Amino acid sequence: MLKATIKSLLSRKLRLVLSALAVVLGVMFVSGSFVLTDTLQRSFTDLFSSAFAGVDVSVSPKQEKGKQPEPLTLQAIADVKSVPGVASAVGDVQGSARPIGKNGKVITTSGAPRYGANWTGNGLEQIREGRAPRADDEVVIGAYLASTGGFKVGDDIALLTLEPKKTFKVTGVYEYAGGRESMGGELSVAFTEPVAQQLLLGKKDAYSSITVTAANGQSDDALRDAVAAKLGSAYDVKTGATLAKEQSDQINEGLKFFNYVLLGFAGIALFVGIFIILNTFSIIVAQRTRELALLRSMGASRGQVIGSVVMEAFVIGLIASIVGLGAGVGIGALLAKIFSSVGGTNLQLAGIGVPMSAVISSFAVGIVVTMVAAVMPALRASRIAPVAAMREAATPDRPLTKITVTGALVLAAGGTSLGFGFQQASLPLIFGGILVAMVGVALLTPMLSKPMVSLIGRLLSWSVPGLLGRRNSARNPRRTAITAAALMVGISLITGVSVVLTSATKSIEKLASGQLQTDLIISGEGQMEGRPATFKRDVLTKIEKTDGVRSAVGWSQDGVLQGESQMFAVGVTDMPALATMFALKPKSGDIAPLEDDQVALPEELAAEKGWSVGSKVTLQLAKGEPKDFTVGFIWVKTQVLQGALVLPESAGANFRSDQIAQAFVQVRPGVSAADVQKRVEPLFADNPEITVQDRSAFVKQTTSQFDTVLLMIQILLALAILIAVLGVINTLALSVIERTRELGLLRAIGMRRGQVMRMITVESVVISVFGAVLGLAVGLALGVATVQALKDQGISEIGFPWATMVQYLVVAAFVGVVAAILPAIRAARLNVLDAIAYE
């Protein structure tokens, strides 16, 4: 039997390749994910080791939860210098500094920081050209900022810091060891020390940290302990090695999540691959009916027949795993290279390695998936009676009753799991429910295939080849169903996500038109190193005095601590005006200006905390000691300011930034909002991060991120759809082999080659469109269920992406045409006499 299995494999090399392709792609995604994250993890570890190479011990103010740490003082530096074993102690100043390009726009990065510092000349930085800053209006800039912004020595550069835009003269450009432009794509600039302290920390003689160098013969650990003993518990004292490890671990946690996402999509690809392999082996078993029956008649046991099919699956899985691992290493290396160069990360990659996790997962996944998918066809093969050897046809298709009942039960189980998952916000239950529901739908698909395929096929059966193609796609419901189900998985997931994002967009639009009674919205385009872009309070006063403005209200914002709970809070300049603009209605209490010790909140947050009007609430703001507030106003639940505490304007003084993060403007009746917008925009000429928009523009900007999310998901799910396309090709190619004699007879009675190709193409298009229709239906159901579950999170409207769904149908039809090319050419080229004599 072993020899027979090996000869069977070698005699059908095309079948071997087609069977392995789906597994190769899935394994490639899995191994590539591990190679990519391993390479990036080692690269970031090397990066931080280099960044802290010159730091023996670092001193920084201790970060208390919910409080902003006070900067270090000259006294702290003096205390450190007095510790035995300290060779030098240098105060470092660091904070947010955003450079403005020559086009007047703030230069952005893809996550890398934009910061300013004091130039000490003692770090890893070394002047590449020019000189260090000496005057208050001089700076040196990093080489990467120079190349990105097109700056050179002698140019002027505008910067945004804690203060509005200021212009400086570039006196030098610096680089890092080895001529590197940056450590990891950051945009950096260095000032003289007094200027850095004022612009980055807002205080004179203030420092972010102290870099300590150990004397010869002094160990870092011993020096750390000595410095900590001198300074006391108000400071964090760590070695450079510890800081490097902490930074590296923080990045690696993010990369783990990134890896989980990639592996999730790899799992989807393999899930689709199971359908393809199951279908492939089902067709193979059908084609080998006479061969397996002859083996049974010659004495082969059922176990040997099962072993033969499973062995074939093992060989295919093994080969696919080896090829997929090799391809995954290449893909992982390519993606790491792209990551290091695209978007300004400028990360110097460590050598590409193949972690053991990639090897183990590749072989485990590739072999196990293939063998599991082959079990059912193997069991079916073992049941072939010896008398079947005398039949010319393959085994007849079996009734669909059992598989339909099973599918209904599995779908019900998946729906139940999904419901509990949404109710309990449990990701394992949600993902498990989706997976089980997909299996249930796939089991129900054979029952649906005949009527649906017949209906879809009518659109293409205006000629004899079209009619035959339609009937061929309906003649084997199980085969058609499994092939279509592979495409259904990818389409349904994309459609489900599209429904959720479209619903979110529609909800935001309704919110803006209904509850946001404001004409202009003033906010930052993005975050400034973890904080929103802000503007000074006196600008809000100027807005209020602008011609045509009826009222203007703004808020500063920050996180505050209530017990152990972190909460979002805003400090509002005018509570009654805010209530009018946001259509806030009192649940209890009166809408009135908030006193310095009062707080307002929505009813759902009040119910969660058990607070009512008059309740005492102790909050820890970023600055100062904990403070008691009294609940003065609770408003009826709305879709705005959900979960937020509204504090008086005076509370902003103890936020990390007291400046305005967002402002809202109502114009006078009969005045054009566009005209007022033109009058307000010049007030932000020195702050290019701030934009003034009407409601429609604000909604468009807010929802534009949904398009990015959808595009990313479409790209990641493209692999699953590609595997599904291979499944269609695989099914058609094996079907052509199975129908060799039939095709020969059709050619013999006068069917031309072009008609044969049209017949195969119609069959392919019908299967693809059937899979897409099924995917759209399942995706709509998943999307609507998700939207219903997210009603409390602000998604109150259901929206359907009709245009996108039509595009998916068109793409599915195109996919059917492309998938038919190779099988159709093979069918058309069959030699008529050889085909008639086949078997």
Side-chain angles (χ1 to χ4, degrees):
M1 284 299 294
L2 180 60
K3 289 182 179 179
T5 301
I6 294 173
K7 286 192 174 183
S8 173
L9 272 170
L10 296 177
S11 65
R12 297 176 175 87
K13 297 182 180 64
L14 176 62
R15 184 182 74 196
L16 177 67
V17 172
L18 292 174
S19 303
L21 270 176
V23 187
V24 166
L25 290 174
V27 170
M28 177 186 73
F29 212 147
V30 172
S31 57
S33 300
F34 281 110
V35 170
L36 171 62
T37 51
D38 175 75
T39 301
L40 294 180
Q41 283 175 353
R42 288 186 290 107
S43 300
F44 279 111
T45 298
D46 293 346
L47 168 67
F48 292 119
S49 295
S50 300
F52 293 102
V55 179
D56 293 330
V57 172
S58 176
V59 179
S60 59
K62 181 162 286 186
Q63 176 71 60
E64 295 182 28
K65 189 175 180 181
K67 290 192 67 174
Q68 180 175 334
E70 288 294 325
L72 299 172
T73 62
L74 286 171
Q75 183 59 49
I77 296 177
D79 290 341
V80 172
K81 286 182 177 178
S82 68
V83 174
V86 171
S88 67
V90 178
D92 299 312
V93 180
Q94 188 166 311
S96 175
R98 288 93 62 209
I100 299 172
K102 295 185 176 181
N103 60 355
K105 303 290 185 180
V106 174
I107 303 175
T108 59
T109 67
S110 298
R114 298 169 297 177
Y115 67 87
N118 59 323
W119 179 259
T120 63
N122 297 325
L124 296 175
E125 304 87 357
Q126 41 194 288
I127 297 291
R128 173 185 285 184
E129 54 182 306
R131 60 170 176 81
R134 297 170 186 161
D136 289 351
D137 62 347
E138 295 179 344
V139 294
V140 289
I141 62 176
Y144 187 63
L145 172 56
S147 61
T148 301
F151 296 106
K152 60 182 184 297
V153 174
D155 285 352
D156 288 335
I157 184 171
L159 298 165
L160 294 174
T161 57
L162 292 179
E163 298 188 7
K165 182 174 71 175
K166 290 184 179 296
T167 302
F168 298 84
K169 181 74 68 178
V170 176
T171 62
V173 175
Y174 61 87
E175 64 183 16
Y176 297 91
R180 295 168 64 177
E181 288 191 340
S182 76
M183 296 298 290
E186 76 282 355
L187 301 178
S188 56
V189 59
F191 309 85
T192 60
E193 188 167 288
V195 173
Q197 290 169 334
Q198 183 61 40
L199 296 184
L200 305 180
L201 299 180
K203 289 185 178 182
K204 184 181 179 183
D205 296 332
Y207 298 90
S208 309
S209 62
I210 303 171
T211 297
V212 184
T213 304
N216 291 334
Q218 179 72 45
S219 74
D220 293 351
D221 290 341
L223 183 59
R224 174 200 60 202
D225 296 340
V227 171
K230 175 70 176 180
L231 296 178
S233 60
Y235 301 88
D236 275 330
V237 184
K238 299 176 182 178
T239 63
T242 299
L243 288 174
K245 185 177 184 306
E246 287 179 351
Q247 293 290 329
S248 180
D249 289 345
Q250 187 176 351
I251 291 291
N252 289 343
E253 278 300 313
L255 289 175
K256 280 183 183 178
F257 176 77
F258 180 57
N259 193 35
Y260 293 150
V261 172
L262 291 179
L263 289 175
F265 284 100
I268 294 170
L270 286 166
F271 181 59
V272 173
I274 289 177
F275 289 106
I276 308 306
I277 300 164
L278 177 64
N279 209 22
T280 300
F281 276 91
S282 296
I283 298 173
I284 289 170
V285 168
Q287 290 175 359
R288 294 176 62 194
T289 297
R290 295 183 67 188
E291 174 190 330
L292 295 172
L294 283 170
L295 289 173
R296 291 278 283 122
S297 65
M298 292 169 62
S301 66
R302 291 182 62 179
Q304 286 178 310
V305 172
I306 293 174
S308 173
V309 177
V310 172
M311 175 60 71
E312 188 169 339
F314 173 79
V315 172
I316 291 172
L318 179 63
I319 294 172
S321 297
I322 294 171
V323 176
L325 175 60
V329 172
I331 290 294
L334 177 63
L335 291 176
K337 183 67 177 175
I338 293 173
F339 182 91
S340 68
S341 57
V342 174
T345 53
N346 205 35
L347 178 67
Q348 185 170 326
L349 290 177
I352 302 298
V354 184
M356 189 56 64
S357 56
V359 177
I360 294 173
S361 61
S362 295
F363 284 98
V365 166
I367 294 173
V368 170
V369 165
T370 311
M371 293 181 70
V372 167
V375 167
M376 287 180 63
L379 292 173
R380 196 176 308 144
S382 70
R383 298 191 186 106
I384 295 175
V387 73
M390 295 180 288
R391 300 176 186 165
E392 290 188 357
T395 52
D397 210 11
R398 291 165 290 126
L400 301 175
T401 307
K402 287 184 179 179
I403 195 171
T404 301
V405 172
T406 304
L409 293 174
V410 172
L411 179 60
T416 302
S417 175
L418 203 56
F420 280 118
F422 283 134
Q423 188 178 12
Q424 301 175 15
S426 170
L427 286 179
L429 280 176
I430 291 173
F431 290 138
I434 292 174
L435 179 65
V436 174
M438 291 285 187
V439 173
V441 172
L443 292 173
L444 289 172
T445 305
M447 179 192 69
L448 301 172
S449 64
K450 245 183 180 176
M452 289 187 65
V453 164
S454 179
L455 181 62
I456 295 168
R458 287 183 186 277
L459 301 174
L460 304 170
S461 57
W462 60 81
S463 62
V464 172
L467 181 61
L468 290 174
R470 167 193 161 200
R471 290 180 176 176
N472 284 336
S473 58
R475 69 199 287 184
N476 194 323
R478 292 173 186 267
R479 183 179 303 175
T480 299
I482 294 175
T483 307
L487 188 60
M488 174 267 294
V489 173
I491 297 291
S492 63
L493 291 174
I494 292 177
T495 303
V497 172
S498 298
V499 169
V500 173
L501 297 182
T502 303
S503 299
T505 300
K506 191 174 180 181
S507 300
I508 292 174
E509 290 172 349
K510 182 181 179 182
L511 171 66
S513 62
Q515 290 185 282
L516 200 58
Q517 303 299 318
T518 179
D519 299 300
L520 300 178
I521 299 165
I522 303 169
S523 60
E525 292 183 344
Q527 297 281 316
M528 49 175 239
E529 280 55 70
R531 303 183 193 179
T534 58
F535 59 93
K536 286 186 174 295
R537 290 178 177 270
D538 60 359
V539 178
L540 185 63
T541 304
K542 294 177 182 177
I543 293 172
E544 291 174 334
K545 296 177 181 179
T546 301
D547 184 31
V549 172
R550 179 181 179 183
S551 63
V553 61
W555 67 48
S556 54
Q557 63 187 58
D558 201 2
V560 300
L561 206 60
Q562 189 268 320
E564 292 296 318
S565 176
Q566 187 80 27
M567 305 180 73
F568 174 71
V570 296
V572 178
T573 59
D574 187 338
M575 185 64 208
L578 182 73
T580 300
M581 291 187 186
F582 282 15
L584 302 181
K585 298 179 180 178
K587 175 76 174 178
S588 55
D590 296 322
I591 299 175
L594 292 173
E595 302 292 336
D596 288 345
D597 62 347
Q598 285 187 315
V599 60
L601 64 154
E603 64 171 322
E604 66 272 20
L605 181 59
E608 176 188 333
K609 295 291 186 179
W611 298 338
S612 58
V613 171
S615 295
K616 298 293 182 181
V617 179
T618 302
L619 300 176
Q620 171 63 67
L621 278 57
K623 301 174 184 176
E625 297 300 317
K627 182 177 179 180
D628 290 333
F629 291 85
T630 302
V631 176
F633 166 50
I634 297 175
W635 67 82
V636 176
K637 180 180 178 180
T638 66
Q639 300 299 320
V640 295
L641 285 174
Q642 287 188 333
L645 292 174
V646 177
L647 301 178
E649 182 178 10
S650 59
N654 287 323
F655 286 174
R656 284 180 296 171
S657 172
D658 188 26
Q659 299 192 101
I660 302 298
Q662 277 193 303
F664 307 89
V665 177
Q666 279 186 332
V667 302
R668 296 185 183 279
V671 178
S672 167
D675 291 341
V676 175
Q677 181 177 348
K678 290 177 183 177
R679 299 186 195 111
V680 170
E681 284 176 334
L683 298 175
F684 300 97
D686 288 340
N687 198 338
E689 287 179 309
I690 300 297
T691 57
V692 182
Q693 301 169 298
D694 59 22
R695 276 183 297 181
S696 61
F698 178 75
V699 169
K700 186 175 180 180
Q701 177 186 315
T702 303
T703 58
S704 62
Q705 58 187 319
F706 297 154
D707 297 330
T708 304
V709 172
L710 181 60
L711 178 62
M712 290 176 58
I713 292 174
Q714 286 175 328
I715 292 172
L716 290 170
L717 284 176
L719 179 62
I721 295 175
L722 174 60
I723 293 175
V725 173
L726 289 175
V728 178
I729 297 173
N730 199 1
T731 299
L732 291 175
L734 292 172
S735 180
V736 166
I737 296 172
E738 184 180 60
R739 289 151 43 195
T740 298
R741 189 175 184 186
E742 174 189 319
L743 292 168
L745 288 170
L746 288 172
R747 292 277 285 117
I749 63 175
M751 181 174 275
R752 297 187 301 276
R753 287 185 173 181
Q755 290 177 313
V756 171
M757 294 180 72
R758 281 207 304 277
M759 179 182 71
I760 300 295
T761 302
V762 167
E763 185 177 350
S764 176
V765 171
V766 168
I767 293 173
S768 298
V769 173
F770 172 43
V773 170
L774 201 62
L776 291 174
V778 174
L780 285 173
L782 286 175
V784 170
T786 304
V787 170
Q788 292 294 329
L790 294 176
K791 269 194 170 182
D792 291 339
Q793 306 303 316
I795 303 182
S796 58
E797 301 295 309
I798 296 179
F800 299 106
W802 298 115
T804 304
M805 291 162 62
V806 171
Q807 289 174 6
Y808 292 156
L809 278 178
V810 173
V811 169
F814 177 74
V815 161
V817 173
V818 172
I821 292 174
L822 292 177
I825 291 174
R826 179 181 175 86
R829 287 180 176 175
L830 287 174
N831 182 286
V832 177
L833 295 178
D834 289 344
I836 293 173
Y838 187 75
E839 290 190 350

